[in-house]
Amino acid sequence: MQDLTAAAAAGSPAGGSSAHQNSLHLNGHGVIKNGHNPASSPEPPFESRAPSPTPDPTPEVERGQWGGKHEFLLSCIGYCVGLGNVWRFPYLCYRNGGGVFLIPYFIMLFITGVPLFLMELSLGQYGAAGPITVWKCCPLLKGIGIGMLCVSTLVCLYYNVIIAWTFYYLGSSFQSPLPWSCDAIANAAICGNGTFGNGSKAHSPSEIFWNENVLGVVNSDGLHDPGPVRWPLALCLLAAWIIIFFCMLKGIHSSGKVVYVTATFPYFVLIVLIIRGATLEGSIQGVAFYLTPDWSRLANAQVWNDAASQIFYSLGIGVGGLLSMASYNKFDNNVIRDTIIITTGNCTTSFFAGFAIFSILGHMAWRKGVPVAEVADTGPGLAFVAYPEALALLPGSVFWSILFFLMLFMLGIDTLFGNMEGITTAVLDEFPHLRTNTLHKSLFLGALCFGFYVMGLLLVTNGGIYWFTLIDSFSTSFGLIIITLFMCIGISFFYGVNQFCQDIIDMICHCPPWCSKVLIYFKACWVFCTPFLLLFILTYIFIEMYNTPLRYGSYVYPRWGKALGVCMGATCCLQIPVWAIVAISRETGTLKDRFRKAIRPLNSWRVNNLNSTGRAEERMEPERVEAPFTVTLTDADFTAMTWEMGSEA
């Protein structure tokens, strides 16, 4: 934090000592002389200066920290490794040329995913603040934090509905035979009419169970006809939000312990499923379909767009969850090491899950006598139609179904922890008094969960899947890309990429030589490669959005529905110019002066990081203050200055 000491020191050597004591009159606050003789006290001003002359009117509230390094790593891995790793990555892989999809996937990972991941973790850890407050480093870009909050809200709104579906299937799995299998009495006529075995998905018992028993979508005509709430799903959704509430009641101190189970259990299930799938007839056919490359697909822009979207979807970039979780780290945590561990673990899990999925889908295709392409589906269809159908074909299907949906529940809960942490941290940092009052904090979290539950009831109606698809399609679309693009440009060119790299080095006290060399690569990505690729992705999204109608199955969304989705995405990214205008209007001077002041860090930007180095203090803009002040010099000040100069002599 900056005061008049640095300002005077910048003027003359002699003025540094006098200005240090002349701060007695700043804002009317008296400061007792520290008694140090400048001639015999070589400590830098940062260590020997008087207390800050502009104290915060509200006491600083302890934010808390992770209980250990492993809690943060497991929380981030659990946040990144979600449902998208199980159903989205395998589908995109076989839809875009099989194994050849890994080429654009890893290119996008190293040029956009890992650099942006490191940027978010570093920003949150250095600033020790949530998505909104952390933009004290550049007040002009506070709208990025507000936009992240909007994206997190939309994601939390629909993501817990997936967990509610998982609950429904988990409860239905405690039946023998499974209600979506051909062994069930209700499905005897469906499986025996000769249509189910020839690839006609319209008569599949698993799809009938999904559309009629779970969704009730057959009773809705579209987006305009949501129909009544399906109360079994509403109760599952309520149970999901109650679990989230109690797991997050004590913040990272409770959720940090839960992740020891929720982040590790899915890996155990995946290993078991891979071993079981490898023993099934036809599993090799599914794995071959998953990995067989189609080199001609590399020339298709859709493949590159899908690779980029999967990176954003799986790593959780630009939503605020990563930034919030990193804000509870110790200041000297090695953020580069954590970035490499988490991103490697996430992408390895995606590739690993593909073997578990397609080995069983290969067996399913062998049993039905159809190509693998006709039994795999995208999105919820893979997790709740194709895969339950495959599970029903396994010996001991009840056990495997319970295990699979329990895994989906763990994956969903972990990801929702991160999204909710982004929202709660942002609000608690803006209203720090909530941290000191346990009752008020609990009431806020309860009201937040209840609000999400009430809004989520629209998504568990007969036509709720149409609204679910709309929010899913536009909440993390162009709005998220624009937010991350401005975050990258803002940190690189407004805050300064050299300054940002220096901040990272300051955090890693004993920076290994390889860390400094790796930062050169990240610097090149932040300034050139990443913004270019984000612009390419954004352009393609707009072209595709204009030319391609939005569909769910055979239902084509009306124009007003698509326009509503565009408004959702626009609301998120429009926060950036709105709050930039607010920041500029609060400054004084010409427009150019206002802009230059609005991109300077506030004095409190480094107030939580006094253990970094004195260089951080020296790099602050000396004229940047957060409140007006006046300095009144009297004859006593000049007398004191003369006495000090005589003492030095």
Side-chain angles (χ1 to χ4, degrees):
M1 193 164 60
Q2 187 67 30
D3 62 7
L4 287 181
T5 304
S12 64
S17 175
S18 62
H20 182 71
Q21 295 193 8
N22 288 339
S23 62
L24 294 168
H25 305 281
L26 183 61
N27 284 342
H29 293 281
V31 180
I32 300 175
K33 296 180 180 180
N34 57 23
H36 286 285
N37 188 337
S40 61
S41 181
E43 291 85 357
F46 175 74
E47 298 177 3
S48 61
R49 65 186 176 98
S52 173
T54 57
D56 193 347
T58 59
E60 185 178 345
V61 180
E62 181 65 33
R63 298 181 76 254
Q65 290 183 336
W66 294 104
K69 185 187 304 180
H70 298 97
E71 288 186 11
F72 170 69
L73 286 175
L74 286 176
S75 295
C76 285
I77 291 175
Y79 170 65
C80 297
V81 178
L83 298 171
N85 297 75
V86 174
W87 75 43
R88 200 168 186 268
F89 176 82
Y91 169 77
L92 291 177
C93 201
Y94 89 78
R95 190 185 77 174
N96 292 296
V100 78
F101 178 73
L102 297 176
I103 296 176
Y105 178 77
F106 282 109
I107 290 176
M108 290 294 177
L109 171 67
F110 289 119
I111 296 182
T112 61
V114 178
L116 291 174
F117 195 95
L118 175 62
M119 177 174 284
E120 276 205 53
L121 289 191
S122 303
L123 195 61
Q125 181 172 307
Y126 191 87
I132 299 177
T133 312
V134 78
W135 290 103
K136 293 183 294 185
C137 67
C138 184
L140 184 76
L141 301 178
K142 183 178 181 180
I144 293 177
I146 306 291
M148 288 180 173
L149 201 63
C150 294
V151 174
S152 293
T153 301
L154 291 173
V155 171
C156 289
L157 180 61
Y158 80 85
Y159 207 89
N160 216 15
V161 175
I162 305 176
I163 300 176
W165 295 337
T166 304
F167 263 140
Y168 191 93
Y169 270 89
L170 186 60
S172 301
S173 298
F174 288 91
Q175 303 178 39
S176 184
L178 294 173
W180 55 82
S181 69
C182 284
D183 296 331
I185 298 176
N187 299 327
I190 301 173
C191 297
N193 62 7
T195 59
F196 174 53
N198 60 8
S200 177
K201 295 181 64 179
H203 297 89
S204 167
S206 62
E207 189 166 7
I208 291 175
F209 183 84
W210 168 245
N211 289 326
E212 296 184 7
N213 295 46
V214 181
L215 299 180
V217 68
V218 293
N219 302 316
S220 174
D221 293 331
L223 202 63
H224 63 284
D225 181 29
V229 173
R230 301 185 63 81
W231 291 109
L233 276 184
L235 292 176
C236 292
L237 183 63
L238 179 62
W241 278 117
I242 290 175
I243 291 174
I244 291 294
F245 171 77
F246 282 108
C247 288
M248 299 195 63
L249 191 58
K250 293 185 178 180
I252 60 172
H253 298 292
S254 56
S255 62
K257 302 298 185 293
V258 174
V259 294
Y260 279 106
V261 177
T262 58
T264 56
F265 180 76
Y267 287 96
F268 166 75
V269 177
L270 282 176
I271 292 173
V272 172
L273 289 176
I274 284 180
I275 295 174
R276 180 67 183 103
T279 63
L280 297 174
E281 189 73 29
S283 60
I284 299 298
Q285 177 187 356
V287 173
F289 183 83
Y290 172 49
L291 296 178
T292 301
D294 181 5
W295 300 103
S296 63
R297 301 302 298 275
L298 284 177
N300 190 344
Q302 177 68 42
V303 177
W304 295 86
N305 181 66
D306 284 346
S309 65
Q310 177 60 19
I311 291 296
F312 276 81
Y313 193 90
S314 62
L315 292 181
I317 298 170
V319 185
L322 293 172
L323 201 151
S324 297
M325 289 188 289
S327 70
Y328 297 104
N329 272 339
K330 294 181 179 179
F331 181 77
D332 58 352
N333 179 62
N334 192 329
V335 69
I336 298 180
R337 178 201 58 208
D338 290 351
T339 297
I340 296 174
I341 292 174
I342 297 168
T343 54
T344 302
N346 173 74
C347 297
T348 303
T349 303
S350 296
F351 184 67
F352 192 59
F355 290 95
I357 298 295
F358 278 91
S359 61
I360 297 181
L361 289 181
H363 174 69
M364 181 179 173
W366 174 79
R367 286 283 299 266
K368 297 173 66 175
V370 297
V372 179
E374 297 186 19
V375 297
D377 203 349
T378 181
L382 180 59
F384 297 107
V385 176
Y387 210 87
E389 188 174 324
L391 292 171
L393 300 176
L394 300 179
S397 57
V398 172
F399 170 76
W400 297 112
S401 182
I402 293 173
L403 205 62
F404 175 73
F405 288 110
L406 194 58
M407 178 189 71
L408 288 189
F409 168 73
M410 298 290 187
L411 290 172
I413 285 290
D414 272 345
T415 302
L416 200 57
F417 278 161
N419 290 323
M420 286 292 292
E421 194 63 60
I423 298 175
T424 56
T425 300
V427 175
L428 293 178
D429 283 347
E430 289 294 300
F431 304 97
H433 63 276
L434 290 175
R435 294 187 188 273
T436 60
N437 193 313
T438 305
L439 177 61
H440 290 175
K441 181 181 177 181
S442 301
L443 290 175
F444 159 70
L445 182 60
L448 184 65
C449 292
F450 181 74
F452 276 127
Y453 171 70
V454 172
M455 291 187 292
L457 289 177
L458 175 63
L459 306 183
V460 293
T461 58
N462 288 334
I465 188 64
Y466 297 123
W467 289 94
F468 174 92
T469 304
L470 183 70
I471 299 175
D472 182 32
S473 300
F474 287 97
S475 61
T476 55
S477 181
F478 65 91
L480 182 63
I481 302 297
I482 291 176
I483 288 173
T484 52
L485 176 62
F486 273 88
M487 179 180 71
C488 186
I489 294 176
I491 293 297
S492 299
F493 298 100
F494 292 168
Y495 181 73
V497 69
N498 292 326
Q499 176 67 70
F500 190 65
C501 291
Q502 183 60 52
D503 292 344
I504 296 176
I505 293 175
D506 288 343
M507 286 190 292
I508 308 174
C509 297
H510 305 288
C511 183
W514 64 269
C515 286
S516 301
K517 296 178 181 178
V518 168
L519 276 178
I520 299 175
Y521 163 75
F522 286 120
K523 185 186 297 186
C525 288
W526 290 330
V527 175
F528 300 108
C529 305
T530 304
F532 174 78
L533 271 180
L534 290 178
L535 284 173
F536 164 76
I537 297 167
L538 190 62
T539 303
Y540 185 84
I541 287 177
F542 281 127
I543 295 175
E544 185 184 36
M545 186 171 58
Y546 180 79
N547 294 327
T548 307
L550 182 62
R551 297 175 178 270
Y552 176 77
S554 59
Y555 175 74
V556 180
Y557 280 73
R559 286 187 177 182
W560 66 267
K562 194 173 180 180
L564 183 61
V566 172
C567 289
M568 291 181 191
T571 301
C572 299
C573 58
L574 283 178
Q575 302 298 323
I576 301 174
V578 169
W579 288 94
I581 294 173
V582 171
I584 291 176
S585 64
R586 288 177 176 174
E587 302 295 344
T588 58
T590 63
L591 183 61
K592 183 178 180 181
D593 292 337
R594 289 170 181 252
F595 179 81
R596 292 179 61 186
K597 292 177 181 178
I599 63 175
R600 293 175 184 167
L602 298 179
N603 287 349
S604 56
W605 167 234
R606 291 183 173 87
V607 71
N608 294 323
N609 306 321
L610 300 182
N611 61 333
S612 57
T613 57
R615 292 172 302 186
E617 187 77 10
E618 296 169 4
R619 288 194 302 270
M620 288 298 297
E621 294 285 346
E623 67 271 22
R624 182 60 170 164
V625 294
E626 297 179 62
F629 65 92
T630 57
V631 178
T632 303
L633 297 179
T634 63
D635 293 339
D637 296 307
F638 295 98
T639 304
M641 184 186 304
T642 305
W643 182 84
E644 287 185 1
M645 294 176 63
S647 300
E648 293 178 2

